[in-house]
Amino acid sequence: SDVYKRQEYMGFSSQPNPFGSLRKNLQVGGKSYDYFSLPDLKDPRLERLPYSIRVLLESAIRNCDEFSIKGRDVEKILNWEKTATQSVEIPFLPARVILQDFTGVPAVVDLAAMRDAVVRLGGDPTKINPLCPVDLVIDHSVQADSAKRPDSLDRNEEIEFKRNYERFQFLKWGSKAFKNFLIVPPGSGIVHQVNLEFLGRVVFKQDNLLYPDSLVGTDSHTTMINGLGIVGWGVGGIEAEAVMLGQVISMVLPEVVGFRLTGKLRQHVTSTDLVLTITQILRKRGVVGKFVEFFGAGCNNLSLADRATISNMAPEYGATMGFFAVDDNTLDYLRLTGRTDEHIETVKQYLQSQNLFRKYDGSQKDPVFTGDILELDLSTVEPCLSGPKRPQDRVLLSHMKNDFSNCLTNATGFKGFGVAKEKQSTAAQVTIDGETNEVKHGAVVIAAITSCTNTSNPDAMMAAGLLAKKAVELGLKVKSYVKTTLSPGSNVVTRYFNETGVQKYLEKLGFYTAGYGCMTCIGNSGEIDEKLNDVINKQDLVAAAVLSGNRNFEARIHPSVKANYLASPALVVAYALAGRVDIDFDKEPIGKGNNGQDVFLKDIWPSRDEVARITTGSIKPEQFKEIYGTIDTGRSRWNDLKVNSDQIYTWNPESTYIKEPPFFQNLSLDPPGFPTIKGAYCLCYLGDSVTTDHISPAGNIAKNSPAGRYLQERGVNKDDFNSYGSRRGNFEIMERGTFANTRIINKLVDKVGPQTVHIPSGKVMDIYDAADAYQKDGKSLIVLAGTEYGSGSSRDWAAKGPFLQGVKAVIAQSFERIHRSNLVGMGILPLEFLAGQSAETLNLTGKEAVSYTHLRAHETGRNLVCRLLLEKKKK
């Protein structure tokens, strides 16, 4: 039925499904369902397919209409063993789409603008409607403005609504104007934890038809749902909008890397240690554009939450997915989180009938995987962190002190800060709340229990709570300069923290609940103490943040904090107590106890068995049922928002949050041809691993930046600037915020920061101002870059912003998958240097004028040759 709805909507005639004979009946608990039977293909290749590929196969069979999905596409997937290494293209139609508000607002803005465009073209605006279920969780807006106070949660929510009133009002309008569109209000939790605990179906039931749950999401960590056996990954907002409007995703049939897990984690090791270890292993293997499928007896020794932690960080290890097929452990988790017995039984019987149900005890024949199988004995995993600037840079806990010391002196780079020898002992006194402390390089100024990666894992969270309990009982305290925050991924966490009694101990150490959202992990860490901030900047200190997040890129967490380390929630508490990262926990005490005695980390560290005894029985299905039973109701502030029921949005020209974007304003029914570029200038000449945070930052808006000046010209005070992420509904701000990251390194200028050289005049200016000058002169622009351009979050504004600045092409050594797709979606050509070549090897200065011609439509998988004419200016 979905296929025919899509066909009718898109204006082509229905075709009978050539696989209709595979439609079978399944009886579950007295109810009758239909499904498309994979075993009835009677094809021996089926049992050799990885489980993740079987889900793609089922979708192709069920949705086959010989138009957007053809019978030959089914054959390509069945023949995966041969075709996976041939870069063949297949269509995929996910069952649903999930959004968070930073990326969801611009998506809904685009849909609203599309309705206006349809009206201008004489069409029916209600044709613009999601055709599949779309869930938008508002979790990216809350900031840790208030911390270490009993009322921080309420204060932060109050500020959140004040700042985001227009955005929230717009989203609430969208939930009424568009069909199939659910809003999960602010204060409910983090999108991926809500997806895991509530929204994830595992098996869809629609019109009595059963099929596997699958999705795409406008957040790279959508992969967390892979731990629940659901196929899904992050895409840009442009791709997500296409899926919402009924289009299939065109994707390269991926290779699948098999990762066998054996053994069991030791007593003092956490799931965070495990995922950071796996991230490093897979980064070395190279899994960009590939699926990773975990299997082996070790999977039985991991909780569902442990698996979800591993799946969550698929973007960090570079894979499209990190998949665990459904097994009995999955069903137990569904039961724990309050799903109905009827649904769980349906999931089990359907997946068993489809050969999609997994056993990790060796009783089933393992599928075929791509290349050599990776292996990890869980008992070999050591406690660790990652940092100071990238998730893949794992540091053993026992090596942290030496590693940070080396990073201080190393040349500026991913593992270096370039601090001169004579400045390595720099220190200063700072008095906060009547307490005076010395701060120096390595001082922990932010300690945040944050991010869906870990807050969805009860064992990881309870370990932090028990460590806090032991620390308080021994008399340990946190120094006043450490900003401590607790940001649970759902209200269920608070429920079991209170019931087990650990919440009060966390609060005694300053870890009051600051909000239910992503917060510090995405840069919404709020301000640190003003006196402390001044000392850090005046003394040029390498201050540190320790967070239980998944991203730690430069300037992401806080503009004044250079060293950022990812760690388990328990280690976050430990480093908050220590107050510094240059500590050897094996040899140095973490602090002094009540009687002046030395207390070491080993004295307060809880074992896995100790944690399990607390979590078992204290986490109940009733907690999830109660919390999620009213998930769409919202708190009073949300319910008080008044919106109209118009189908066309009324744009407010005075708004600094929501503006009609220019992308559809001059839309015609005839698409433009391929452009020919002559004399394009280089806007930015960048290096390796430039992230979407560098291209389109989500954090603070600097007062003297182009975006800051724009807001001040419109009467907005600095305190009300909010963040770039929250302003994504206003294209004028996002254009000014493109390449505005304060830590971006542009080789056209001599200093770090968002500036460039306007080549015709030779003047150094803000990147936006230069782009504006080029556009006024009718000049096109390019960007030069190294490897892994566009890695990090899947934000479409990292493509929309350069488009608005006049960028026509990015020439790099390699691209991150999602960002490359977003560039194409915006009409920016992603060009790669030939193997072994780069801007450096070609001796490019970035001051050449670039031209290219001879562009034509071409098939996926073929090389496109462009001739670049480099006209070096005499000056």
Side-chain angles (χ1 to χ4, degrees):
S1 61
D2 284 350
V3 174
Y4 299 140
K5 289 176 185 175
R6 192 172 80 254
Q7 290 173 340
E8 179 184 0
Y9 172 82
M10 298 180 72
F12 56 84
S13 59
S14 300
Q15 299 291 328
N17 190 324
F19 297 98
S21 61
L22 298 180
R23 189 160 181 148
K24 301 296 179 183
N25 185 263
L26 180 68
Q27 299 287 327
V28 184
K31 293 187 177 181
S32 178
Y33 300 101
D34 285 354
Y35 70 102
F36 283 82
S37 173
L38 296 181
D40 279 18
L41 282 168
K42 302 191 184 307
D43 194 310
R45 294 174 293 181
L46 176 63
E47 67 175 12
R48 295 174 62 84
L49 293 179
Y51 283 76
S52 52
I53 299 298
R54 297 179 197 185
V55 176
L56 300 184
L57 175 65
E58 189 282 338
S59 177
I61 289 173
R62 174 170 40 87
N63 292 299
C64 187
D65 54 14
E66 295 297 352
F67 184 84
S68 57
I69 302 176
K70 299 179 172 63
R72 64 173 177 266
D73 296 317
V74 172
E75 174 59 26
K76 288 178 186 177
I77 302 173
L78 266 172
N79 205 28
W80 173 85
E81 278 189 75
K82 294 181 179 178
T83 54
T85 57
Q86 298 173 359
S87 296
V88 301
E89 190 175 356
I90 63 163
F92 175 55
L93 186 64
R96 59 189 176 99
V97 174
I98 195 163
L99 314 169
Q100 39 91 338
D101 57 300
F102 267 18
T103 51
V105 166
V108 179
V109 167
D110 284 349
L111 292 177
M114 286 181 203
R115 282 193 169 181
D116 286 352
V118 169
V119 170
R120 286 193 290 268
L121 292 170
D124 177 6
T126 60
K127 284 283 188 181
I128 304 296
N129 250 320
L131 294 185
C132 64
V134 177
D135 303 309
L136 189 154
V137 180
I138 301 176
D139 65 350
H140 274 51
S141 299
V142 63
Q143 300 186 37
D145 295 288
S146 175
K148 304 170 73 169
R149 294 171 51 118
D151 61 348
S152 288
L153 174 63
D154 188 66
R155 285 164 61 92
N156 288 331
E157 183 182 290
E158 181 181 10
I159 296 170
E160 176 190 14
F161 269 79
K162 179 184 176 183
R163 284 181 179 142
N164 297 282
Y165 183 84
E166 284 185 64
R167 295 174 67 246
F168 292 170
Q169 196 173 43
F170 173 72
L171 288 174
K172 195 168 185 179
W173 167 83
S175 69
K176 297 180 180 297
F178 296 106
K179 299 176 181 176
N180 292 324
F181 188 39
L182 170 70
I183 294 281
V184 177
S188 302
I190 302 174
V191 56
H192 307 306
Q193 188 162 342
V194 174
N195 195 20
L196 188 73
E197 296 176 351
F198 176 65
L199 296 173
R201 283 82 154 172
V202 183
V203 171
F204 247 83
K205 290 183 273 189
Q206 186 163 338
D207 298 329
N208 281 332
L209 182 68
L210 300 179
Y211 50 94
D213 188 1
S214 62
L215 72 155
V216 291
T218 57
D219 189 285
S220 51
H221 294 101
T222 299
T223 54
M224 187 170 195
I225 204 67
N226 302 158
L228 198 61
I230 296 174
V231 165
W233 56 84
V235 298
I238 300 160
E239 278 186 288
E241 290 168 31
V243 173
M244 290 160 64
L245 296 176
Q247 292 191 38
V248 298
I249 287 178
S250 179
M251 61 182 288
V252 174
L253 184 63
E255 299 178 25
V256 181
V257 175
F259 201 130
R260 181 185 286 115
L261 301 175
T262 60
K264 187 177 182 179
L265 293 175
R266 288 177 291 164
Q267 285 295 317
H268 60 290
V269 175
T270 69
S271 58
T272 313
D273 304 323
L274 173 59
V275 71
L276 295 179
T277 303
I278 287 173
T279 297
Q280 188 179 53
I281 292 171
L282 287 170
R283 273 284 178 177
K284 289 180 179 178
R285 168 69 175 262
V287 292
V288 173
K290 301 175 184 179
F291 289 178
V292 175
E293 195 163 303
F294 296 93
F295 69 105
C299 294
N300 286 327
N301 296 322
L302 296 175
S303 67
L304 194 288
D306 290 340
R307 298 177 188 178
T309 297
I310 295 169
S311 297
N312 178 282
M313 288 191 71
E316 281 65 49
Y317 45 79
T320 303
M321 284 205 312
F323 188 75
F324 290 84
V326 174
D327 70 339
D328 284 324
N329 202 340
T330 316
L331 302 182
D332 290 341
Y333 182 81
L334 293 177
R335 197 168 291 110
L336 173 68
T337 50
R339 272 75 162 200
T340 66
D341 291 338
E342 176 191 344
H343 180 69
I344 295 168
E345 184 62 26
T346 303
V347 167
K348 182 177 182 178
Q349 290 197 33
Y350 168 74
L351 294 179
Q352 287 178 336
S353 69
Q354 289 283 58
N355 288 344
L356 291 172
F357 196 84
R358 193 73 155 104
K359 293 183 179 180
Y360 294 110
D361 57 5
S363 62
Q364 292 176 325
K365 186 176 179 180
D366 291 327
V368 174
F369 295 109
T370 304
D372 294 336
I373 289 174
L374 293 169
E375 294 199 35
L376 176 64
D377 181 349
L378 300 180
S379 67
T380 64
V381 176
E382 297 282 349
C384 57
L385 303 87
S386 279
K389 301 181 184 181
R390 297 190 303 180
Q392 64 263 39
D393 294 328
R394 185 174 69 107
V395 185
L396 293 179
L397 179 62
S398 58
H399 295 175
M400 255 302 277
K401 182 171 184 174
N402 287 337
D403 189 82
F404 180 77
S405 178
N406 291 334
C407 286
L408 273 184
T409 59
N410 290 344
T412 301
F414 296 127
K415 293 290 289 185
F417 297 104
V419 177
K421 187 175 181 180
E422 65 273 13
K423 294 186 177 181
Q424 291 171 23
S425 59
T426 300
Q429 299 287 319
V430 63
T431 301
I432 300 172
D433 296 333
E435 178 184 310
T436 301
N437 288 288
E438 182 181 74
V439 291
K440 56 181 183 176
H441 295 301
V444 174
V445 298
I446 292 176
I449 299 175
T450 180
S451 172
C452 52
T453 308
N454 288 289
T455 64
S456 61
N457 192 318
D459 288 345
M461 294 296 283
M462 193 59 67
L466 290 177
L467 189 145
K469 179 177 184 291
K470 293 182 178 184
V472 169
E473 289 173 345
L474 287 174
L476 297 181
K477 296 180 180 180
V478 174
K479 292 180 172 62
S480 61
Y481 62 77
V482 184
K483 182 172 183 177
T484 48
T485 54
L486 169 63
S487 309
S490 81
N491 286 260
V492 175
V493 177
T494 300
R495 185 63 56 85
Y496 67 70
F497 265 7
N498 282 325
E499 290 191 12
T500 55
V502 300
Q503 179 80 31
K504 62 183 179 182
Y505 295 104
L506 285 163
E507 290 175 354
K508 286 182 181 296
L509 297 180
F511 288 94
Y512 286 93
T513 299
Y516 296 96
C518 299
M519 303 192 85
T520 301
C521 187
I522 59 163
N524 285 357
S525 55
E527 294 299 334
I528 57 177
D529 182 85
E530 187 176 352
K531 296 187 292 294
L532 175 63
N533 194 62
D534 290 343
V535 165
I536 291 171
N537 291 313
K538 184 177 181 180
Q539 301 295 333
D540 197 20
L541 293 177
V542 179
V546 181
L547 62 149
S548 61
N550 46 48
R551 294 270 166 82
N552 56 341
F553 303 129
E554 271 191 292
R556 178 184 175 96
I557 306 305
H558 190 281
S560 297
V561 181
K562 296 180 182 179
N564 301 285
Y565 289 94
L566 306 181
S568 66
L571 277 180
V572 170
V573 178
Y575 276 102
L577 290 164
R580 57 191 177 97
V581 294
D582 59 339
I583 181 173
D584 184 339
F585 282 124
D586 290 335
K587 300 176 180 177
E588 300 176 67
I590 196 171
K592 295 286 187 181
N594 285 320
N595 300 319
Q597 78 279 19
D598 287 341
V599 178
F600 288 81
L601 180 59
K602 64 182 180 182
D603 298 328
I604 57 175
W605 190 268
S607 69
R608 290 181 66 84
D609 286 346
E610 189 178 353
V611 170
R613 285 195 296 271
I614 301 295
T615 55
T616 302
S618 64
I619 302 174
K620 310 178 186 70
E622 292 73 26
Q623 295 166 339
F624 293 89
K625 290 177 182 178
E626 182 178 343
I627 294 297
Y628 287 112
T630 57
I631 190 71
D632 58 345
T633 303
R635 301 171 188 259
S636 59
R637 291 184 176 97
W638 174 262
N639 294 329
D640 290 342
L641 288 175
K642 305 300 181 185
V643 296
N644 62 46
S645 57
D646 296 345
Q647 294 298 302
I648 301 294
Y649 186 70
T650 303
W651 306 98
N652 177 4
E654 303 301 318
S655 173
T656 57
Y657 275 100
I658 306 294
K659 278 192 175 296
E660 183 180 6
F663 311 125
F664 310 104
Q665 288 181 358
N666 298 312
L667 197 66
S668 70
L669 293 175
D670 299 316
F674 288 98
T676 295
I677 301 303
K678 292 190 66 177
Y681 286 103
C682 179
L683 181 64
C684 298
Y685 184 180
L686 308 170
D688 296 337
S689 297
V690 171
T691 70
T692 52
D693 279 300
H694 289 110
I695 305 167
S696 182
N700 294 338
I701 300 173
K703 184 176 182 178
N704 295 322
S705 66
R709 297 195 300 268
Y710 170 93
L711 288 169
Q712 290 173 87
E713 289 166 2
R714 284 153 183 79
V716 180
N717 295 322
K718 176 66 175 71
D719 290 344
D720 297 322
F721 276 11
N722 213 332
S723 63
Y724 282 112
S726 64
R727 296 275 183 181
R728 285 181 183 160
N730 184 332
F731 72 92
E732 293 180 330
I733 288 178
M734 298 312 296
E735 180 184 1
R736 287 161 173 79
T738 301
F739 298 115
N741 188 299
T742 57
R743 306 303 300 172
I744 195 169
I745 299 176
N746 181 6
K747 297 178 184 180
L748 292 176
V749 291
D750 295 330
K751 61 179 182 178
V752 175
Q755 292 193 311
T756 193
V757 172
H758 179 251
I759 295 169
S761 68
K763 294 180 179 179
V764 175
M765 58 183 71
D766 288 332
I767 291 174
Y768 166 77
D769 293 332
D772 187 51
Y774 282 124
Q775 292 205 73
K776 288 176 179 175
D777 291 338
K779 298 294 183 182
S780 297
L781 297 170
I782 65 157
V783 170
L784 291 175
T787 60
E788 297 180 339
Y789 181 80
S791 56
S793 301
S794 58
R795 57 188 63 162
D796 51 351
W797 267 111
K800 289 178 176 177
F803 168 81
L804 292 177
Q805 287 187 348
V807 174
K808 303 299 182 184
V810 178
I811 310 173
Q813 288 175 261
S814 64
F815 292 86
E816 191 276 338
R817 172 187 62 86
I818 299 175
H819 185 62
R820 181 180 57 209
S821 174
N822 280 341
L823 290 174
V824 171
M826 290 309 301
I828 297 176
L829 190 64
L831 294 171
E832 289 190 1
F833 290 104
L834 299 182
Q837 293 186 353
S838 67
E840 285 82 4
T841 64
L842 294 174
N843 296 317
L844 299 184
T845 66
K847 295 185 178 181
E848 299 84 2
V850 177
S851 302
Y852 57 83
T853 56
H854 309 303
L855 288 177
R856 301 182 191 88
H858 64 287
E859 296 178 4
T860 300
R862 291 179 56 192
N863 287 332
L864 173 66
V865 179
C866 298
R867 297 191 179 278
L868 305 180
L869 306 178
L870 309 177
E871 303 169 3
K872 293 190 177 182
K873 302 296 184 182
K874 290 182 180 179
K875 293 184 180 180

